[in-house]
Amino acid sequence: MGDTMTCPTRNLIAIGSVVLIAGLAGCSAESSETAGAAQDLTSRTLRVPTAYVPPQCYTKTTLADGSAANTCYSCHTNGRKPNFINDTDLQLAYDFANPMRTARKGNPWTNLFVDRSDVVAAVSDADILAYVRESNYRGPDGDIALADRLTRVPKGWDANRDGHWSGFVPDVGFDFDNAGFDHAANGDYTGWRAYAYTPLPGSFLPTNGSFDDVLIRLPEAFRQGASGQFDADIYALNFAIVESVVKQRDVPIDPVDENDVGVDLNRDGRLDQARQVTFDWAPREGRDMSWVGRARSDNAKLAAGLFPKGTEFIHTLRYLDVNDDGKVVRGARMKELRYARKQSWFTYSDLRQKDFLDAKEAHDFPNRPERFRGDVEHGLANGVGWVYQGFIEDARGDLRPQTFAETTSCMGCHGGVGATTDSTFSFARKLDASTPGHGWTWWDQRPVASLPEPLLADGRPEYATYLKINHAGDEFRSNFEIIDRFFNADGSLKQSELNALKTRIGALVLPSADRATSLDKAYRAIVREQSFEQGRAAHVQPMPNVYRQVLAGQSTGIDKPLVVGHDSGLE
């Protein structure tokens, strides 16, 4: 990564103030020490103090006929305990923090209003596809490129100036076995495990710009038997217990002799053969659950709805690729690599108290922005036990740490809305353990487009319900390809398309090849500008359904908040 490489073809195309470099795939014109690594990322200055309020919250909800589209309900809802947040009021008004600053300066996500049509037209499909097919995670020698860079951390990344990188160092091998476990180049378990899930409706549908994937890793004690040695079976069983505890439901497992682990997994009052982890947690009534292996002997804390302390997540966002058959698939190149770690344990009382204090703060000081502790090197704390850190492309496409300001834009959703489960979104949506691989699969093993539609708790199809309530397939209501595909000219839904979703969600989650390459090109322009602080949503033309300004307490036009629970397990 430190050597200068030559580019066989480099065409400079000037459009306005933007200079495009065509033919960049497969080359890096400067060393990593000069192409982004020299950039000072350590500033904690926030250009926008309310950067944690996401761009979607500025969407216009009023339709042409005066009725309202509820784009808000999937995030702002009455949380399931121990998420004590009830932010359904945000469905009714643009009443987020510091409204006076918003009204005076306008919507800070100015990239939403940029027309990138000329920029997109100037880049060929061949060039952008070559770019997205090149991995920026692996170096030429096959090693993890970012990990190599962090061993000799550039001064501009070193927040505490000690010459060492103290944050997370990427160590995923992206080599998954049939049980979803990741392996390093030497074949060892890395501890990471991939799981399949139904995407949250809205921005995280690939049709809106990115493929994503999520991996989870439990602390070392959860990977070991009572003797302290690594045990893949014990680790898998602890994952099943985590799934039961977090989802608060029974989880099927392969047959296990409970005598071998010393735990009554099926809660039938005796040690016998168990075929499920039974959710039965009511400690005040004398009913508790337990981990297995060393985590059990260490008395690792366990509570319904919460991950154990030390749990880690990796979440990557990737470009959209188009294969030789014209199908849109996951690109090799990462837009972002996001990392989260649960570093502190919060009890139910702690979480309830935190919610009370937040409500009091919002009432007493409605114009005071939220504040987050952390820096580029150590990540940002969300106030309820989790630390978030991210890596994003530099101008040449290499991964670099996200700045304090760039990471702040992630904080409003993780730990600050009713829709999360212990500050996370995807794990509660993990495929049910009765599905192939018990839901522990990598997307290459079971493509997201092949999944059937998830169901809400009342049996309604979740995506069809989202389309009906939102009148679109994204929060901005700007994915006109989805609107044309699923809606008639009078605004009614096409029943034939909804019927097809029940068995395969590909028509909703995947864009056309033309849309995929256009969104790739538009996002690549943001990368070259390094203008992430102005918004990183991929789009070609200005978003027509987004306010440039909102007033304090401005009504959304929605008369009554919706609370729509989901059951994303696929039976």
Side-chain angles (χ1 to χ4, degrees):
M1 291 298 293
D3 296 332
T4 300
M5 300 176 64
T6 58
C7 296
T9 304
R10 299 180 71 223
N11 301 317
L12 300 184
I13 307 170
I15 300 177
S17 62
V18 179
V19 177
L20 304 183
I21 306 176
L24 275 178
C27 70
S28 178
E30 301 179 31
S31 73
S32 61
E33 296 300 321
T34 58
Q39 181 182 4
D40 187 357
L41 306 176
T42 61
S43 172
R44 297 182 75 256
T45 300
L46 287 177
R47 180 186 65 87
V48 180
T50 55
Y52 53 86
V53 179
Q56 292 90 331
C57 288
Y58 292 85
T59 299
K60 299 175 183 177
T61 52
T62 305
L63 300 174
D65 62 2
S67 62
N70 192 333
T71 64
C72 318
Y73 79 90
S74 59
C75 286
H76 300 299
T77 186
N78 190 3
R80 183 184 187 188
K81 294 179 179 57
N83 182 350
F84 295 99
I85 296 172
N86 181 354
D87 57 352
T88 53
D89 57 304
L90 293 180
Q91 296 182 31
L92 307 180
Y94 299 91
D95 203 15
F96 28 79
N98 212 21
M100 294 307 294
R101 182 182 299 275
T102 301
R104 184 170 66 253
K105 292 192 174 182
N107 185 338
W109 305 108
T110 52
N111 273 344
L112 297 175
F113 308 109
V114 175
D115 189 338
R116 302 189 187 278
S117 300
D118 290 342
V119 173
V120 168
V123 180
S124 71
D125 288 353
D127 275 343
I128 195 63
L129 289 178
Y131 179 76
V132 306
R133 290 170 181 169
E134 181 183 52
S135 173
N136 55 353
Y137 186 76
R138 298 286 183 191
D141 56 1
D143 290 342
I144 300 173
L146 181 57
D148 288 345
R149 297 179 81 183
L150 293 173
T151 61
R152 48 186 186 276
V153 59
K155 292 181 179 179
W157 300 4
D158 189 8
N160 57 10
R161 308 302 186 194
D162 67 351
H164 301 281
W165 178 256
S166 302
F168 172 67
V169 177
D171 60 349
V172 185
F174 288 101
D175 180 12
F176 301 97
D177 60 28
N178 290 333
F181 285 109
D182 178 53
H183 296 266
N186 64 2
D188 290 347
Y189 285 85
T190 64
W192 292 107
R193 198 178 192 190
Y195 59 90
Y197 52 92
T198 53
L200 185 74
S203 293
F204 282 104
L205 299 178
T207 182
N208 293 319
S210 304
F211 271 95
D212 69 338
D213 50 74
V214 185
L215 316 176
I216 184 174
R217 179 164 65 183
L218 301 180
E220 191 172 18
F222 290 75
R223 310 172 213 167
Q224 299 175 346
S227 64
Q229 298 297 313
F230 176 80
D231 188 318
D233 293 332
I234 288 291
Y235 196 22
L237 191 50
N238 274 323
F239 270 122
I241 298 170
V242 165
E243 184 172 356
S244 176
V245 167
V246 171
K247 289 185 175 181
Q248 304 183 50
R249 60 187 297 182
D250 299 344
V251 171
I253 56 176
D254 293 332
V256 171
D257 187 341
E258 295 174 335
N259 291 284
D260 292 340
V261 295
V263 175
D264 182 11
L265 297 168
N266 57 18
R267 310 297 294 159
D268 65 355
R270 61 183 184 273
L271 297 182
D272 55 8
Q273 190 175 79
R275 295 181 179 273
Q276 73 173 25
V277 174
T278 299
F279 177 73
D280 185 27
W281 188 83
R284 290 184 176 180
E285 301 173 16
R287 306 199 316 274
D288 210 339
M289 298 175 67
S290 173
W291 310 114
V292 296
R294 199 188 115 200
R296 177 182 178 233
S297 58
D298 285 358
N299 294 314
K301 293 179 179 178
L302 181 154
L306 300 178
F307 293 95
K309 179 182 176 181
T311 299
E312 301 170 277
F313 283 95
I314 283 286
H315 176 202
T316 78
L317 297 185
R318 298 170 184 261
Y319 284 87
L320 307 173
D321 192 3
V322 182
N323 66 18
D324 292 340
D325 296 328
K327 295 180 180 179
V328 177
V329 296
R330 179 176 54 90
R333 180 173 293 274
M334 295 181 186
K335 294 180 174 181
E336 299 180 47
L337 188 153
R338 300 174 176 179
Y339 172 75
R341 182 183 75 260
K342 187 170 184 175
Q343 69 172 12
S344 302
W345 179 265
F346 278 61
T347 66
Y348 278 25
S349 295
D350 295 333
L351 294 169
R352 187 186 294 274
Q353 180 71 5
K354 174 66 163 54
D355 185 51
F356 285 157
L357 291 175
D358 286 348
K360 184 178 186 301
E361 173 85 3
H363 177 270
D364 294 347
F365 305 100
N367 295 330
R368 179 184 292 175
E370 292 188 36
R371 299 171 183 172
F372 301 97
R373 295 183 293 106
D375 57 45
V376 65
E377 190 171 359
H378 300 88
L380 274 65
N382 73 347
V384 288
W386 291 85
V387 170
Y388 290 85
Q389 187 170 27
F391 302 89
I392 200 165
E393 289 179 282
D394 65 21
R396 293 190 176 275
D398 291 327
L399 292 172
R400 64 158 176 83
Q402 285 192 153
T403 65
F404 180 90
E406 290 164 347
T407 305
T408 298
S409 67
C410 306
M411 303 307 290
C413 295
H414 288 286
V417 297
T420 57
T421 301
D422 198 4
S423 300
T424 69
F425 287 91
S426 66
F427 195 81
R429 305 181 63 87
K430 175 186 170 294
L431 299 194
D432 194 278
S434 63
T435 60
H438 295 314
W440 297 103
T441 54
W442 177 239
W443 285 132
D444 285 358
Q445 298 164 321
R446 189 177 189 190
V448 64
S450 68
L451 300 178
E453 183 174 15
L455 301 178
L456 297 167
D458 60 8
R460 285 182 297 165
E462 182 180 19
Y463 293 156
T465 301
Y466 180 80
L467 291 167
K468 180 179 180 180
I469 294 173
N470 186 34
H471 297 266
D474 66 316
E475 296 94 336
F476 299 113
R477 294 190 293 106
S478 296
N479 185 334
F480 298 107
E481 184 172 89
I482 288 296
I483 291 174
D484 290 343
R485 185 177 297 167
F486 283 90
F487 290 86
N488 296 306
D490 63 359
S492 62
L493 284 160
K494 298 177 181 179
Q495 191 59 48
S496 59
E497 295 293 338
L498 298 184
N499 291 339
L501 277 183
K502 294 178 181 179
T503 56
R504 185 180 173 87
I505 61 175
L508 176 66
V509 302
L510 295 184
S512 66
D514 286 344
R515 176 172 168 82
T517 53
S518 294
L519 293 180
D520 285 343
K521 296 170 188 177
Y523 183 82
R524 179 65 177 119
I526 296 173
V527 170
R528 287 195 176 105
E529 297 165 357
Q530 292 289 283
S531 60
F532 302 119
E533 287 187 49
Q534 286 79 54
R536 60 187 84 170
H539 65 94
V540 179
Q541 297 179 327
M543 296 280 195
N545 295 320
V546 181
Y547 284 114
R548 290 182 179 270
Q549 285 190 335
V550 294
L551 302 177
Q554 178 177 326
S555 172
T556 62
I558 299 168
D559 296 327
K560 184 179 179 180
L562 295 174
V563 177
V564 180
H566 70 80
D567 178 359
S568 59
L570 302 179
E571 302 298 341

